[in-house]
Amino acid sequence: MSLKRLSLVREMGLLWIIFVFAVACQSIPDRYPVRAESKSLAEAQQVAIRDELVKHFGSPKSPIVSSLIPPSLGLDSKGVLAGQVLFKTHCAKCHGVLGDGDGRWLDARRGPRDFTRGVFKFTSTGGTPTKLDLERTIRQGIPQTRMNEFSELSDSEISALINYVKFIAIRGVLELRLIALMGEEGELTDELVKEEAALVSKPWESVEETVIVPELEEPAPSQKLLAEGRALFQSDRAKCYDCHGADGKGGGAGGENLKDNWDNDVEPADLTLKDYRGGKRSIDIYYRIAGGIPGTPMPAMRKVLSAKEIWALSQYLKSLE
Ligand code: HEC
Ligand code: HEC
């Protein structure tokens, strides 16, 4: 190897070491960053919101959970801090220490790495994720994306991580609502903050009641059901073909130039790949079709299609190659 090549290899090695060091050293900041959405508010209004949030959630270095957050959510200051420590070790390189997507892993472009908007894609409710949904995402990862699987973590570690993600989502969504309210009302009262905190916590409190339960158990596979699924896929009622293409591989006319809520480009999934992002069990596919994928253009079909039709589609998708 020439001397020049050798020194290049050495330089690349050095760069790599610096990169790994920078990732490992991602420290916990003293304050939460100012959100872009608040930039239109007056300085005093921004300070008022920040003070309210510090009162109820503490700072990144010492998170607290105030009494505004219902105890049934199972969040407490110690648990959140424990979750943050684990999050820093395992997740921060992509999601950022504060879970706001400010990770330094430059190649993790796709996806909701920002949890502060409180929107999650792969849920059994078509909205707020249950504990089980988040556990599945973390343990199994999200196939076809950078989100790896963390199968080696213990139950209590997973629980702490989930609580940290929940804490970030609740704090973040409340912050966004207070910013919007401040814009309309001009000032915040304790009463208003209390009401808003209750509203933001509500979907997490009642999440188990919102799990989609098919009105019909999965029918046994049959040629008839498969044919029904195929016809529906190509129908103008279900419109699956429009985004996913007639062969399910993507590339339909309605699927061009789509964005998700985090401003990433998204493409309709290639449904012939068996390793679905949201899971490959029949019920996972049912949830995806019935509840849609929040934050993306993939629509929820449970008000349009019957349970039998959704099962028929699900069976058809499984037959695609
Ligand atoms: C190598 C990068 C990477 C690491 C490390 C990582 N994630 Fe992710 N994560 C992603 C990407 C990318 C997505 C978005 C995927 C998508 O949009 O389909 C994501 C999505 C998620 C979601 C959202 C799922 C949904 O339904 O929307 C959760 C929750 C999550 N990650 C939790 C974690 C936790 C907890 C850890 C640490 C144990 C972690 N992630 C580590 C890259 C990563
Ligand atoms: C407006 C466009 C659009 C329509 C119409 C549409 N989809 Fe999708 N679909 C998407 C997009 C975009 C994604 C990928 C979202 C993501 O992962 O970020 C997706 C993802 C999916 C997934 C998830 C696959 C996985 O990896 O977990 C399934 C299943 C699916 N679609 C089935 C259907 C079915 C069945 C229909 C018809 C009832 C349909 N889609 C209609 C845009 C659409």
Side-chain angles (χ1 to χ4, degrees):
M1 196 186 286
S2 76
L3 232 95
K4 214 165 147 199
R5 283 272 302 278
L6 199 69
S7 90
L8 187 70
V9 168
R10 213 179 288 140
E11 269 171 38
M12 292 303 285
L14 192 66
L15 273 179
W16 179 240
I17 290 169
I18 293 173
F19 173 72
V20 170
F21 191 68
V23 166
C25 288
Q26 221 190 121
S27 58
I28 313 257
D30 291 324
R31 283 188 188 185
Y32 286 97
V34 178
R35 299 209 45 170
E37 291 82 352
S38 75
K39 298 259 163 75
S40 60
L41 298 178
E43 180 66 25
Q45 292 179 313
Q46 293 187 24
V47 171
I49 293 176
R50 199 170 336 142
D51 288 350
E52 280 298 330
L53 290 168
V54 168
K55 198 155 85 192
H56 297 295
F57 298 92
S59 69
K61 281 198 175 128
S62 49
I64 58 170
V65 180
S66 88
S67 58
L68 280 198
I69 307 303
S72 60
L73 292 189
L75 297 180
D76 64 72
S77 317
K78 244 173 82 189
V80 169
L81 193 61
Q84 189 184 59
V85 171
L86 286 163
F87 197 85
K88 185 167 179 256
T89 309
H90 299 288
C91 327
K93 69 177 178 194
C94 295
H95 293 282
V97 201
L98 303 180
D100 55 6
D102 188 21
R104 298 185 186 184
W105 185 289
L106 301 176
D107 204 17
R109 280 164 305 223
R110 183 196 142 86
R113 280 153 289 135
D114 176 1
F115 300 132
T116 63
R117 288 161 192 262
V119 178
F120 295 84
K121 284 186 182 179
F122 304 110
T123 73
S124 55
T125 63
T128 306
T130 62
K131 184 165 188 250
L132 212 61
D133 292 333
L134 291 172
E135 177 168 350
R136 246 184 34 79
T137 296
I138 302 170
R139 279 205 193 283
Q140 299 181 11
I142 305 179
Q144 309 169 48
T145 80
R146 291 261 157 200
M147 169 75 197
N148 10 26
E149 46 178 279
F150 292 87
S151 45
E152 76 290 359
L153 296 175
S154 70
D155 287 351
S156 64
E157 287 173 321
I158 294 274
S159 240
L161 283 164
I162 289 174
N163 280 346
Y164 184 60
V165 169
K166 206 151 92 174
F167 174 83
I168 294 170
I170 290 175
R171 187 196 170 282
V173 175
L174 181 61
E175 181 176 26
L176 285 179
R177 290 185 69 103
L178 294 185
I179 291 170
L181 262 175
M182 191 61 120
E184 284 166 25
E185 314 252 329
E187 78 174 305
L188 292 179
T189 59
D190 280 353
E191 202 48 39
L192 214 54
V193 175
K194 207 168 143 190
E195 270 172 38
E196 287 299 307
L199 270 175
V200 170
S201 307
K202 186 98 189 119
W204 292 95
E205 265 187 294
S206 50
V207 65
E208 296 300 335
E209 293 151 35
T210 55
V211 172
I212 294 169
V213 183
E215 285 118 55
L216 181 82
E217 271 187 43
E218 184 179 9
S222 69
Q223 286 307 320
K224 191 160 164 267
L225 199 64
L226 194 66
E228 191 185 335
R230 181 183 300 115
L232 260 172
F233 193 89
Q234 311 295 350
S235 74
D236 276 326
R237 194 151 73 85
K239 272 203 171 302
C240 316
Y241 75 90
D242 189 36
C243 288
H244 292 281
D247 58 3
K249 291 193 170 154
E256 285 171 24
N257 304 320
L258 299 179
K259 292 261 184 206
D260 68 14
N261 276 18
W262 301 267
D263 213 28
N264 297 308
D265 295 323
V266 277
E267 284 172 11
D270 176 348
L271 298 171
T272 64
L273 299 175
K274 298 293 167 206
D275 216 5
Y276 283 180
R277 294 180 187 125
K280 55 184 169 202
R281 297 172 307 169
S282 301
I283 190 70
D284 295 324
I285 302 176
Y286 190 99
Y287 290 149
R288 277 320 68 72
I289 302 173
I293 305 186
T296 84
M298 168 70 201
M301 299 302 284
R302 63 183 181 284
K303 299 227 169 84
V304 181
L305 303 175
S306 70
K308 180 157 170 275
E309 288 174 319
I310 298 177
W311 284 126
L313 275 169
S314 144
Q315 203 189 115
Y316 173 62
L317 297 194
K318 286 206 237 164
S319 77
L320 285 175
E321 310 208 313

